[in-house]
Amino acid sequence: MRIRRDRVLYQGVAVVEVPNPNLTWTTLASEARATWYPTTPAYADEEGPSTGVADRLLARARTILAGLPSPGS
């Protein structure tokens, strides 16, 4: 999971990524900046401000992964 809040709105990102066979990352779930950027502080020394978006992203990723077939099926 990567959550980065930049000073500039369009550079912020909130995604869950998984490695793929090409040794790069594939986005599994993302959250629109408009849903979390305005409610998070410009600077934070703790995880609290990002907890809401992190919880939503992880819930989406779990739902997506739960629907995938097991390897070898």
Side-chain angles (χ1 to χ4, degrees):
M1 176 181 319
R2 203 165 34 107
I3 299 174
R4 188 185 86 207
R5 186 191 194 284
D6 199 272
R7 283 186 265 180
V8 182
L9 172 63
Y10 69 87
Q11 292 180 341
V13 65
V15 294
V16 173
E17 299 170 311
V18 293
N20 64 41
N22 296 323
L23 303 177
T24 60
W25 295 95
T26 297
T27 299
L28 184 62
S30 64
E31 176 102 7
R33 286 181 286 272
T35 65
W36 59 272
Y37 189 93
T39 60
T40 56
Y43 299 98
D45 292 334
E46 55 190 52
E47 62 187 43
S50 300
T51 301
V53 68
D55 289 345
R56 290 190 301 273
L57 281 170
L58 286 175
R60 250 185 261 133
R62 275 191 223 101
T63 300
I64 292 166
L65 292 172
L68 294 177
S70 299
S73 309

